[in-house]
Amino acid sequence: MYRTHTCGELRSTDLDKQVTLAGWVQTIRKFGSITFIDLRDRYGITQLLFNEQLNTILDANPLGREFVLQISGKVSERSSKNVNIPTGEIEVLVSDLKVLNRSAVPPFTIQDDTDGGDDLRMKYRFLDLRRNAVKKNIELRYAVNRAARNYLHLHNFIDIETPFLIKSTPEGARDFVVPSRMNPGEFYALPQSPQTFKQLLMVSGYDRYYQVVKCFRDEDLRADRQPEFTQIDCEMAFVEQEDILQMFEGMVKFIFKEVKGIDYSETVKRITWEESMWTYGNDKPDIRFDMKLGILKSISKPSETIIPEGAFKIFDDAELVVGIAAKACADYTRKQLDELTDWVKRPQIGMTGLIYCKYNADGTLKSSVDKFFDESKLKEWAIKTNAQPGDVIFILAGREERTLKAISSLRLYMGERLGLRKAEEFKLLWVTDFPLFEYDDENNRWVARHHPFTSPKPEQVQTMINNDPAISNANEYLQHPYASIKANAYDMVLNGNEIGGGSIRIFQRDLQEKMFAALGMSKQEAQHKFGFLLGAFEYGAPPHGGIAFGFDRLCAILGGSESIRDFIAFPKNNTGRDVMIDAPSTIDLKQLEELQIKIDLKAG
Ligand code: ASP
């Protein structure tokens, strides 16, 4: 046996035991004629002592960082104890040393505060993974995985693998494709999700399916996306939306309890998509704090408008005027207000300016637009934004979509600045009733907001069937009956992040065909792409629905990190490269010949 104990195991109760440990050299400290070595493995660190007599062993075996050692010796009490580590009361007085392997000098130090930059750490990810900080994340990932599986198993779900070499599944991204040698000129697509397979499994009668599964989407990697990522993918038959919400709310609570020891006893709040957009400005609101929007003017909601026409040109020209009240910020200085104005003017936010109204502690109101509005008007704004004395109201005005987006970003930014987005607080939310369609103005057609297998609300099925999808004037798409059709679709949101999403599916062939037609697909195209599913729907498809959770993201949030990469053992960088193995890369001419593929890269 290589070891009797791990490097994290020995305590003062083990004094005088003869032990054998194996691990990596973390540090070597020489003090005159004695040497201390910290030996590290996955479980911890144990101090080794080579005293005067034993130092000769070291002289014969010069060691360096990350050497792999096997040592034997006696557990002894440490003269200066280290209360910061569990093994800090003991050390091992080494009598035997075997160097199992040597190590080159590592390119960065393997410790919590490493000197390695991101690129270097990714190139040597196998070393980075030795660091505690990364190990902790990988362990948390496993704990989440285990908890999810345990919960699903308890509820009769079975894990069924689905293929990776498939035909395109439309989740709204580009496919990764794989050429087929045996079928020259033909390609597989890697699954963007197992969507169609899990639906087929419902037709097959496996009424509770799950899989912790890799999904592949060839997207431009905006912040914190990975081309291959993991979902906890689930599907159930004979269910309504309510069954799904309850089942998976239960799963996330179970994970909270198992992984973080949190009892999330309250029922998860629910909000419709529409309400979410008008209350928080986005469809994945962070509800750890309030700061709800106050609509002062809106072309979509004229009944909410309280701004008189003709008072102020900027408001007259705006489609939307909207405010939020930042708690206890009425004492913001000119400089602070200017900084915030610059913040909303940044291209990512894209506003032309920021209007403020201070609700002073003495109850008076003072705004940057005093010239145009008297105090009684400002008071109305305070009521709409739920501002209290001591607060400042920030107001944005402009095109509806952009302004809503901007105020939502400002709300999050202020929430952060005011310390309202607490890392250790977890707030779940269901967002329901998403629009069924979205308008794609580039290609002048409707696209499925979730995916084409999502069912419309039953009372709106006829609206979908009876209306021609064609749009004469792209600017007026909001007036088209399709714009108001809502889906049986839901997202689970955690602290402002979408962690899961799903829907109740269409399970009748004719309705599915209507859906494909609504999305501008010809009968032939629908048959070519999804004939297998349409065919299956003819053989007793049960009503069904499901959900998929973004496993990497869930882990990152539970681990208190912004970045999913920290929770993936071997992630890709933001150009989709694995810099450690250097992929993607060119392939041999012979491989191309076998595939009967000739590369002719277009310039530019
Ligand atoms: N396949 C969907 C997705 O990846 C999830 C679902 O509808 O179950 O978003």
Side-chain angles (χ1 to χ4, degrees), residues 169-173 175 192-195 217 219 231 450-453:
T169 18
E171 296 280 3
D175 289 322
Q192 293 187 33
S193 82
Q195 186 61 37
R217 298 186 190 176
E219 302 179 279
Q231 286 188 342
H450 187 49
H451 52 53
F453 315 109

Side-chain angles (χ1 to χ4, degrees), residues 329-340:
C329 293
D331 58 356
Y332 264 25
T333 60
R334 178 86 243 167
K335 188 160 167 262
Q336 283 172 304
L337 293 166
D338 287 347
E339 271 167 20
L340 279 172

